[in-house]
């Protein structure tokens, strides 16, 4: 979870660096300096990856939010408990298929 707490800093630093290569990027610089792998990316590549990952995350979350909205609107339109139960079962099956049901 700690890494998630740095996402906004990473995004801001990446945007700033790609706009102005002399912009300060303390998180990104430290991250790259501390990595010991031989195939670590360049700073420019890492910044592009950070922004692409953020874009893909937003797209994935928009899909989840849309599914939630669709279920909510379907539930609001129900006129019987049986209709609500069918939606509940559908959601439970969906969650089970992705390993989230309890």
């Amino acid at each position: 979870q700690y890494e998630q707490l740095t996402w906004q800093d990473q995004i801001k630093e990446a945007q700033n660096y790609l706009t102005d290569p002399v912009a300060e990027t303390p998180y990104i610089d430290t991250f790259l300096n501390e990595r010991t792998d031989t195939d670590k990316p360049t700073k420019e590549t890492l910044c592009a990856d950070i922004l692409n990952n953020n874009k893909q995350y937003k797209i994935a979350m928009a899909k989840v939010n849309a599914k939630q909205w669709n279920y909510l609107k379907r539930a609001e339109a129900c006129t019987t408990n049986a209709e609500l139960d069918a939606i509940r079962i559908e959601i439970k099956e969906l969650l089970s298929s992705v390993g989230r049901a309890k």
Side-chain angles (χ1 to χ4, degrees), residues 14-93:
Q15 289 169 331
N16 289 345
Y17 178 77
L18 293 176
T19 302
D20 177 9
V22 297
E24 290 189 16
T25 53
Y27 181 93
I28 291 171
D29 291 341
T30 303
F31 178 74
L32 285 172
N33 287 335
E34 294 297 320
R35 283 182 58 171
T36 58
D37 53 311
T38 57
D39 59 343
K40 67 182 175 181
T42 65
K43 187 174 183 176
E44 184 174 349
T45 299
L46 177 61
C47 288
D49 286 348
I50 288 168
L51 296 182
N52 185 55
N53 289 344
N54 181 54
K55 178 182 175 182
Q56 297 306 315
Y57 179 79
K58 285 179 181 179
I59 290 169
M61 290 299 95
K63 290 178 181 181
V64 169
N65 290 343
K67 286 184 186 304
Q68 292 172 328
W69 187 88
N70 290 336
Y71 281 121
L72 174 64
K73 291 302 170 185
R74 284 177 53 201
E76 288 175 348
C78 290
T79 57
T80 68
N81 285 340
E83 292 172 323
L84 286 170
D85 287 342
I87 292 172
R88 182 185 57 78
I89 291 167
E90 184 180 334
I91 293 170
K92 186 175 181 180
E93 288 172 354

